[in-house]
């Protein structure tokens, strides 16, 4: 009780600091007492820290990090780990331990930075009114989420990419063109699916500006984004030995569904059972499928005052469901963003309880069915695949209900705007009618005056009569 009283009596910045420290210590304690999470749901081999350690080992041996065909991330992703690895090569007995400790610190710090970005965004957005300190509540909602804690403990690379998206949203909401363009370029550099976030970023940058100023802002954002992304790609091109083909191969491998390791997505089983003749068609179709929702969603909800934040959340959700190698960290991030950005929508979900309850049940059933299939051999792939299908169906229900809430509000806003336009048109018509009446009166008065002057000119001047004076 004393701790609670002291916490509630502290300032907003102090509360946020305490929440971030508690989240960091929680991750350290989970790793110290539980060890690294190896569950398939919290990370995928393509996006795991183990692939980074393998790439660093190949690099230390004088070989290409991509020589073993296990590491499929852009080369700059290795930078936070390659520099300390070079410094610790002298201490050969402790290099592996120091690299692991440094990796733990980087992943935990990335989660804390993401929480700070979400806290600042929540305070700026000012929609989360359930507490007196929305920033600390947002940080606690993210840092104390068990899925985020276990994903960080599993060293999933998605945890490293969350700060880019969180601060990219914050920069766009605050109208910082350079920062938003840079962070979006970095986000697209690590994952091409984030290119769909270009539209909501433009909306957020232009929402507080006039039409022409907003249009120029979007053009400037596009140019800066292209410049920053081009620079990142050129640096990677130089690091890969002046080979564009190697860089293209990295992104192609990320989206070609070549790794059939079971995960929480829906395509690993699909491509396992597919004939090789149809593979190229479905790879192109499924990668383009996620992009087809960008323009229709924008056309439907662009009238909302918070359309940019809503589209940012919806695009992340759709991209997570249709991603080649999704993880639970992606699901936890966009659901947290939905709660912080649109708490009224989430509170009004018709299937919110069903989705939440079913999702948590499936999170426990997934590892059980996976172990019964892979370890004990008492099940088969259909068991685990059924769980993944049901889990993705819960996501579909959640996003559909969220979109329905937004469409209802968009229709109400359209009705209000239509009524305002009707009032303005009526006032304009009345003003034009009054102007026409006044102009007609002036013309009639001018015609009457001209007619009188013309009639006076036709009669000629009046003749003066003679006056005779007589003497009495």
């Amino acid at each position: 009780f004393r701790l609670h009283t002291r916490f509630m009596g502290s300032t907003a910045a102090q509360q946020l600091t305490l929440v971030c420290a508690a989240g960091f210590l929680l991750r350290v304690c989970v790793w110290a007492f539980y060890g690294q999470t190896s569950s398939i749901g919290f990370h995928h081999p393509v996006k795991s820290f183990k692939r980074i350690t393998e790439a660093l080992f190949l690099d230390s041996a004088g070989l290409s990090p991509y020589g073993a065909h296990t590491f499929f991330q852009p080369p700059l992703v290795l930078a936070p780990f390659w520099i300390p690895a070079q410094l610790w090569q002298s201490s050969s007995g402790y290099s592996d331990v120091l690299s692991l400790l440094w990796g733990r610190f980087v992943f935990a710090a990335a989660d804390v930075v993401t929480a700070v970005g979400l806290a600042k965004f929540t305070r700026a957005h000012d929609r989360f009114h359930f507490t007196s300190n929305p920033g600390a509540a947002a940080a606690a909602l993210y840092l104390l989420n068990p899925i985020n804690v276990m994903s960080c403990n599993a060293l999933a690379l998605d945890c490293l990419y969350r700060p880019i998206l969180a601060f990219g949203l914050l920069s766009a909401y605050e109208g910082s063109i350079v920062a938003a363009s840079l962070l979006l370029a970095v986000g697209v550099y690590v994952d091409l699916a984030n290119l769909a976030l270009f539209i909501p970023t433009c909306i957020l940058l232009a929402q507080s500006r006039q039409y022409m100023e907003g249009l120029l802002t979007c053009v400037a954002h596009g140019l800066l984004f292209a410049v920053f992304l081009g620079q990142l790609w050129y640096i990677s091109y130089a690091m890969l030995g002046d080979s564009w083909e190697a860089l293209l191969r990295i992104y192609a491998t990320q989206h070609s569904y070549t790794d059939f390791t079971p995960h929480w997505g829906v395509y690993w089983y699909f491509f396992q059972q597919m004939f090789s003749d149809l593979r190229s068609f479905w790879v192109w179709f499924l990668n383009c499928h996620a992009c087809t929702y960008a323009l229709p969603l924008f056309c439907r909800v662009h009238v909302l005052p918070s359309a940019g934040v809503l589209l940012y959340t919806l695009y992340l959700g759709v991209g997570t469901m249709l991603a080649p190698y999704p993880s639970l960290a992606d699901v936890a991030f966009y659901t947290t963003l939905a709660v912080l950005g649109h708490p009224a929508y989430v509170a009004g979900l018709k299937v919110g309880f069903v989705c939440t309850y079913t999702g948590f049940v499936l999170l426990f059933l997934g590892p059980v069915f996976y172990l019964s299939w892979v370890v004990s051999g008492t099940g088969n792939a259909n068991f685990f695949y059924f769980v993944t299908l049901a889990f993705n169906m819960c996501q579909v229900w959640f996003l559909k209900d969220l979109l329905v809430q937004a469409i209802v509000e968009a229709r109400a806003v359209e009705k209000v705007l239509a009524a305002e336009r009707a009032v303005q048109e009526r006032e304009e018509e009345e003003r034009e009618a009054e102007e026409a009446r006044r102009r007609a009166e002036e013309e009639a008065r001018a015609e009457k005056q001209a007619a009188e002057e013309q009639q006076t000119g036709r009669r000629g001047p009046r003749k003066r009569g003679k006056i005779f004076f007589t003497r009495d």
Side-chain angles (χ1 to χ4, degrees):
F1 178 75
R2 290 181 178 178
L3 290 175
H4 178 267
T5 305
R6 186 173 300 176
F7 178 78
M8 296 305 295
S10 57
T11 63
Q14 292 174 346
Q15 291 179 4
L16 179 60
T17 304
L18 291 175
V19 169
C20 292
F24 186 88
L25 291 177
L26 176 62
R27 282 152 176 78
V28 173
C29 293
V30 169
W31 174 62
F33 294 103
Y34 181 76
Q36 183 174 348
T37 305
S38 59
S39 176
I40 193 64
F42 296 103
H43 75 285
H44 190 275
V46 174
K47 297 181 179 180
S48 64
F49 182 69
K50 184 178 180 181
R51 299 290 178 93
I52 290 183
T53 57
E54 293 174 355
L56 292 175
F57 175 78
L58 291 175
D59 182 74
S60 63
L63 302 175
S64 172
Y66 301 93
H69 302 287
T70 58
F71 181 70
F72 303 114
Q73 302 298 318
L76 288 179
V77 176
L78 288 174
F81 307 97
W82 181 82
I83 297 175
Q86 297 298 318
L87 297 176
W88 293 330
Q89 278 186 352
S90 58
S91 57
S92 57
Y94 301 98
S95 59
D96 296 338
V97 177
L98 292 175
S99 298
L100 180 60
L101 292 176
W102 174 251
R104 293 284 178 182
F105 173 78
V106 170
F107 277 87
D111 263 5
V112 173
V113 173
T114 303
V116 173
L118 291 176
K120 291 184 177 182
F121 164 73
T122 305
R123 285 200 298 262
H125 192 48
D126 197 20
R127 291 288 186 92
F128 198 78
H129 301 300
F130 299 101
T131 178
S132 59
N133 188 359
L141 186 63
Y142 180 82
L143 289 175
L144 304 182
N145 190 333
I147 296 178
N148 292 327
V149 174
M150 300 307 292
S151 298
C152 180
N153 189 44
L155 301 180
L157 289 183
D158 300 292
C159 297
L160 297 181
Y161 303 154
R162 298 287 84 83
I164 301 171
L165 300 179
F167 276 91
L169 175 61
L170 175 64
S171 302
Y173 191 85
E174 293 180 346
S176 178
I177 303 176
V178 178
S181 303
L182 176 60
L183 291 171
L184 181 61
V186 176
V188 175
Y189 172 77
V190 297
D191 191 354
L192 292 178
N194 292 328
L195 185 60
L197 301 178
F198 181 82
I199 295 178
T201 304
C202 287
I203 296 175
L204 290 171
L205 289 173
Q207 64 182 359
S208 61
R209 295 175 170 89
Q210 299 296 329
Y211 178 76
M212 287 304 300
E213 185 181 358
L215 185 61
L216 293 176
T217 300
C218 294
V219 173
H221 167 61
L223 294 176
L224 288 174
F225 165 73
V227 170
F228 288 138
L229 184 59
Q231 290 178 348
L232 292 173
W233 280 344
Y234 184 77
I235 295 173
S236 301
Y237 161 78
M239 294 177 64
L240 293 172
D242 297 340
S243 174
W244 290 112
E245 183 180 356
L247 185 60
L248 291 175
R249 192 182 305 117
I250 292 172
Y251 289 111
T253 307
Q254 289 182 359
H255 296 273
S256 59
Y257 306 93
T258 55
D259 194 319
F260 297 145
T261 305
H263 53 85
W264 284 93
V266 295
Y267 297 137
W268 61 272
Y269 189 80
F270 179 76
F271 280 97
Q272 273 186 347
Q273 307 298 326
M274 179 179 296
F275 295 107
S276 58
D277 297 339
L278 302 175
R279 179 179 176 80
S280 299
F281 167 76
W282 283 107
V283 167
W284 280 99
F285 175 78
L286 294 176
N287 279 290
C288 296
H289 182 206
C291 301
T292 58
Y293 294 96
L295 189 59
L297 289 176
F298 166 74
C299 295
R300 197 64 194 90
V301 301
H302 72 280
V303 297
L304 293 175
S306 59
V309 180
L310 177 65
L311 289 175
Y312 205 95
T313 306
L314 291 176
Y315 289 169
L316 286 177
V318 173
T320 298
M321 286 192 305
L322 303 178
Y325 309 111
S327 66
L328 295 178
D330 299 324
V331 180
F333 181 75
Y334 85 79
T335 51
T336 302
L337 189 59
V339 173
L340 299 177
H342 299 278
Y345 292 171
V346 177
L349 295 178
K350 295 181 180 179
V351 294
F353 174 76
V354 176
C355 289
T356 305
Y357 181 77
T358 307
F360 276 110
V361 171
L362 294 174
L363 287 178
F364 286 99
L365 287 179
V368 173
F369 286 170
Y370 178 79
L371 292 176
S372 67
W373 165 38
V374 176
V375 179
S376 63
T378 57
N380 54 36
N382 294 327
F383 289 15
F384 181 72
Y385 189 59
F386 171 76
V387 173
T388 60
L389 287 178
F391 185 77
N392 282 276
M393 185 57 65
C394 290
Q395 295 186 67
V396 171
W397 286 344
F398 176 80
L399 293 175
K400 185 267 297 180
D401 226 3
L402 191 70
L403 183 59
V404 167
Q405 298 282 335
I407 290 176
V408 170
E409 184 178 355
R411 289 176 178 173
V413 172
E414 288 176 352
K415 290 181 180 179
V416 172
L417 294 177
E420 292 179 354
R421 284 195 298 267
V423 171
Q424 292 177 358
E425 291 176 358
R426 193 181 305 112
E427 292 178 352
E428 187 67 25
E429 290 176 357
E430 293 178 356
R431 195 179 303 109
E432 291 178 357
E434 181 67 22
E435 185 69 20
R437 187 182 61 80
R438 186 180 60 81
R439 196 181 300 111
E441 291 179 355
E442 292 179 356
E443 291 177 356
R445 192 179 303 111
E447 291 178 358
K448 183 177 180 181
Q449 184 177 359
E452 291 179 354
E453 292 178 355
Q454 185 178 3
Q455 186 177 5
T456 303
R458 189 181 299 116
R459 289 179 181 176
R462 288 184 64 181
K463 295 182 179 180
R464 295 177 177 271
K466 295 182 178 181
I467 301 177
F468 298 94
F469 297 92
T470 58
R471 185 176 298 176
D472 292 341

